[in-house]
Amino acid sequence: MSRMNLAGLSALLLLAAAGVAEAKQWKYAGMHPRTGQPPDGLCHIETTHVHTAAPVNADVLYRTRDNVYVFIGDPTPFGYEGPKHSYYGHHPVVLNVLINIEVDVDVVEYCYHDGPHYHAYEPPPRHEFVEKEDVSYYAGEYPEEYRQESPKLVRVNSVYRTWNTPRPVVRVAPPPEYRGPIIQVGLNIPMPSVEVRVGTPPPPPEREVVIIREERVVHEHHDHCEHHVHKKHKKHKHKKHKGRH
């Protein structure tokens, strides 16, 4: 190969490397969909890290804290096989518990999944839930912020409707303490006549990664999510409580 051809090849390689270095990165914390498509599975890195892949359906599947995306949705369409907890209807999600960060006041968001669904996380402490036949129902008051965001965020149900999403089997009516919307989702459940006091019904159907927090560094390959952690991360366990405040 001539010197001119070698010089041209070197220039192309340098430009390609510069383009990769300047690629936009998104910060994530905790388990989340790898690409947003169910067959591509989940990334299981728990600590804060970055990807060059943007979060798909970020407006309804994630909430953000300091520009870090936290997945709060039902992980079962993505092949999740770990411990899971059954919920019914809309309920609070506490981000600082979910990703274990220190704050003076809980960072509360809301899940807008209609009807029965799963999460990998337990009902958060300091919030009132009741359990009926192993399904958790939120029994607290819904704030004004929840009502304001509801028309936009209930779109999460339209997203999940396009996937094959396993759901908990619920054959009884919600307990009287539950104040959220009672919506029958693909199940033959006898429901009493109730007044829905909050919420808005959904619309009709229609890479390399580097830890950027603490002193650990994680390397991940895009296709296999392989990583090496140089320091053990102490997990914070939470106990499940019924009817807590």
Side-chain angles (χ1 to χ4, degrees), residues 47-207:
T47 49
T48 306
H49 57 286
V50 300
H51 288 286
T52 55
V56 176
N57 293 308
D59 56 335
V60 293
L61 299 188
Y62 294 81
R63 302 294 183 268
T64 57
R65 169 75 179 176
D66 297 331
N67 294 319
V68 176
Y69 286 87
V70 182
F71 175 69
I72 69 163
D74 184 337
T76 54
F78 304 93
Y80 177 72
E81 297 180 347
K84 55 191 177 186
H85 304 273
S86 302
Y87 292 78
Y88 186 98
H90 305 175
H91 60 85
V93 179
V94 180
L95 294 192
N96 49 287
V97 172
L98 194 58
I99 59 176
N100 194 22
I101 57 176
E102 295 294 331
V103 292
D104 295 330
V105 179
D106 281 344
V107 183
V108 181
E109 299 285 352
Y110 283 83
C111 164
Y112 290 84
H113 279 291
D114 289 332
H117 60 281
Y118 291 110
H119 288 297
Y121 46 83
E122 298 178 358
R126 302 179 294 277
H127 291 267
E128 187 176 358
F129 282 80
V130 294
E131 188 175 285
K132 186 174 182 179
E133 297 194 354
D134 296 323
V135 178
S136 294
Y137 299 79
Y138 179 53
E141 296 290 338
Y142 292 89
E144 182 59 30
E145 292 80 4
Y146 159 85
R147 295 179 176 85
Q148 291 174 353
E149 295 294 313
S150 182
K152 175 180 66 176
L153 295 181
V154 291
R155 193 177 69 82
V156 66
N157 298 290
S158 298
V159 173
Y160 272 81
R161 197 175 292 124
T162 63
W163 299 332
N164 182 22
T165 306
R167 291 181 178 270
V169 177
V170 177
R171 302 188 184 280
V172 296
E177 297 91 341
Y178 173 67
R179 297 176 172 86
I182 298 178
I183 296 177
Q184 201 167 315
V185 184
L187 293 173
N188 184 20
I189 308 171
M191 290 294 180
S193 176
V194 297
E195 176 189 0
V196 178
R197 285 170 286 179
V198 297
T200 303
E206 330 185 0
R207 179 177 341 172

Side-chain angles (χ1 to χ4, degrees), residues 22-23 32 51 61 100 152 203 212 215-216:
E22 294 174 0
H32 63 87
H51 288 286
L61 299 188
N100 194 22
K152 175 180 66 176
I212 53 82
E215 68 272 26
R216 60 180 62 78

